[in-house]
Amino acid sequence: MRRMVLLVLLVAHAVGVGLALSGGAMSAGAVTAATPTNVDVSQRHLNESEEAIAVNPTNPNNIVVVTNIGHGEAGLTAGMFEGVSFDGGATWMRRIIADNDNLGDACCDPSLSFDEHGNLFLTYLYEVENTVPVALSTDGGVTFNVIANIVAPPKGTPTKASGDNRGLFRFVDQPTITAAEGEVWVVFNAGGPMFAAGAPVAGLGQVGAFFAGEVVPGTNNCTYGDVAIGPRGQVMQSCGLTESGQGGGKIFVNVDPDGLGPAGFGSRVFVAETHVGGFDFIPPQPDRSVDAESGLAWDRTGGPHNGRVYLVYTKEQQNESDNTDIYVRYSDDGGATWSSGVRVNDDATTNSQFLPKISLDQTTGKLAVVWYDSRADLGTGGAGDTDGVPNDDAQFWGSLSTDGGVSFTPNLQISAGTSNSHDSGNGIDYGDYNGMSFVDGVIHPAWADNSNSTGNSPDGALHQLDIYTAAVSAP
């Protein structure tokens, strides 16, 4: 799914009102605290969707978001939107990047990761080229320079026409980047199999060359996943197999036990059945569809769950029921075996929850999950329903685990308003993913929203999507 990316959002302590999520077992209750103050970060005319966000662990007031924008708008043929804050989200520097500047001709699909040194890595897709770029910023996102172009396997991928953003599976797709423990890794679908490459990192601006890369075993036609780094530098990638059409869908992982060492990725390990195909249409995503959107988080805290790796995904309870829920599993043996799934959303409806994101605070070991949620849209009017049609509107919700993924807190409504993606005319609805970064006890979610709950969207309510955020405190 070639995912268009737009620019993004994030807000933090100074701008948003923090919202506390207390620990405890999952309950049937809804919100445990008042909805946090929402901030429209992009405030840009026309649509933005698919947001990557990163918080600098060496300076948590430094927040960076990058999203895709609709090409052809205002004469743009390439580019992404970037927002940078150095005061916790109180003020933002906004600009269009990769619009044939030094970053090239960006199509979409940004992914961001700060490392422990303050290096900020960015990957995305080019508008035309079938290589995957990696860019580096050493000044908190103010400037970037491309440091590598990762080339697909020898068989390559077909040449695509300029402006082809349709999400065709034949092309390089959805790159994900992560950096920690003295290394940086990028993983993407290379027109068939998953492909991975990594590089050593010795300090701020001290990034070595990426090795030639490797095809991950058993991953042909496996895509739409994530990558994470463990406490000993080991690397795990997740992806969804049989991710085409509306049915099927199985989540697998592969592990490289020594990271940049000689071992390479091992055989795939089955984790879960999802019943979510790669283009599974549900009422709140009627144009773009959804995939299971598996995500990974690896505990490197040195605490009681050090080494535990978590996986989040979407599961449809019965194929084509549109009753999709968010589940988390964990592994304590490096991905060889996995716990049973724990349902994170605590609603009693059969409506859709979709596009989850997971993040672990490496200072506390707490785990956060956020997602789009249609639980409040019963088609009977009132809050949660914009048009009298059930299950086609969505809000943004989240939950926290303080016991290593065994249980989750009562769910919290994070978005103040209710959105309808089809009304945006975006073509890809909310996009293929949202963003979140969890650092120093504060959850920074980012999501696409056309509710205009903040009253300052240039397009008004239920028109084009802006990128929203909130600061959610997790004490």
Side-chain angles (χ1 to χ4, degrees), residues 30-318:
V31 179
T32 59
T35 299
T37 297
N38 286 194
V39 173
D40 183 344
V41 177
S42 60
Q43 295 184 34
R44 178 180 174 271
H45 182 52
L46 303 174
N47 281 300
E48 301 94 46
S49 58
E50 295 185 358
E51 43 283 349
I53 184 172
V55 178
N56 190 344
T58 70
N59 175 16
N61 285 323
N62 178 199
I63 306 165
V64 181
V65 295
V66 177
T67 75
N68 63 327
I69 56 178
H71 299 158
E73 299 173 352
L76 289 170
T77 59
M80 300 179 295
F81 186 87
E82 183 195 20
V84 179
S85 178
F86 287 96
D87 55 13
T91 60
W92 291 87
M93 178 192 77
R94 299 175 174 91
R95 62 177 179 147
I96 301 297
I97 61 172
D99 56 345
N100 291 297
D101 59 12
N102 69 311
L103 298 182
D105 57 333
C107 155
C108 45
D109 285 20
S111 178
L112 288 168
S113 181
F114 270 109
D115 72 4
E116 64 268 32
H117 306 293
N119 293 302
L120 176 59
F121 296 93
L122 166 67
T123 189
Y124 49 98
L125 294 178
Y126 285 127
E127 185 73 16
V128 176
E129 301 90 331
N130 275 315
T131 58
V132 173
V134 176
L136 170 66
S137 175
T138 58
D139 56 12
V142 176
T143 61
F144 282 95
N145 289 293
V146 173
I147 61 171
N149 281 287
I150 310 300
V151 180
K155 289 185 178 179
T157 56
T159 300
K160 69 188 185 71
S162 176
D164 187 352
N165 301 324
R166 294 172 294 168
L168 297 181
F169 182 64
R170 297 177 300 158
F171 307 126
V172 292
D173 195 16
Q174 203 184 58
T176 303
I177 199 162
T178 191
E181 301 296 324
E183 53 191 310
V184 56
W185 283 81
V186 61
V187 176
F188 57 93
N189 183 275
M194 299 300 290
F195 193 70
V201 182
L204 184 64
Q206 301 177 43
V207 183
F210 280 79
F211 70 89
E214 62 178 304
V215 172
V216 181
T219 61
N220 198 40
N221 299 329
C222 195
T223 191
Y224 314 144
D226 201 4
V227 59
I229 297 174
R232 301 189 309 278
Q234 64 271 54
V235 180
M236 178 182 293
Q237 79 87 33
S238 70
C239 60
L241 190 61
T242 318
E243 291 283 305
S244 60
Q246 300 237 95
K250 297 179 180 180
I251 302 298
F252 291 88
V253 298
N254 300 73
V255 176
D256 183 329
D258 61 356
L260 295 174
F265 281 91
S267 300
R268 72 186 192 195
V269 175
F270 170 74
V271 180
E273 181 84 46
T274 70
H275 302 144
V276 178
F279 290 87
D280 206 317
F281 291 90
I282 58 175
Q285 284 269 110
D287 303 308
R288 181 53 166 173
S289 75
V290 298
D291 62 85
E293 200 59 23
S294 66
L296 296 168
W298 213 324
D299 190 322
R300 303 186 301 271
T301 62
H305 300 297
N306 185 62
R308 177 170 289 184
V309 61
Y310 303 90
L311 184 143
V312 69
Y313 59 98
T314 308
K315 178 180 179 180
E316 192 166 28
Q317 295 300 340
Q318 182 178 349

Side-chain angles (χ1 to χ4, degrees), residues 340-383:
S340 58
V342 174
R343 197 181 82 160
V344 181
N345 54 292
D346 59 12
D347 65 299
T349 76
T350 58
N351 285 9
S352 303
Q353 286 78 32
F354 56 102
L355 299 184
K357 201 74 170 183
I358 193 168
S359 185
L360 187 138
D361 185 353
Q362 297 294 343
T363 65
T364 66
K366 294 178 182 178
L367 186 72
V369 178
V370 296
W371 64 91
Y372 293 99
D373 197 311
S374 298
R375 71 176 70 188
D377 183 14
L378 303 180
T380 56

Side-chain angles (χ1 to χ4, degrees), residues 386-400:
T386 69
D387 56 8
V389 178
N391 199 32
D392 72 333
D393 300 309
Q395 300 162 334
F396 202 71
W397 287 64
S399 186
L400 183 74

Side-chain angles (χ1 to χ4, degrees), residues 456-471:
N456 55 3
S457 167
D459 296 305
L462 298 178
H463 292 293
Q464 284 77 16
L465 294 158
D466 281 4
I467 303 303
Y468 277 50
T469 189

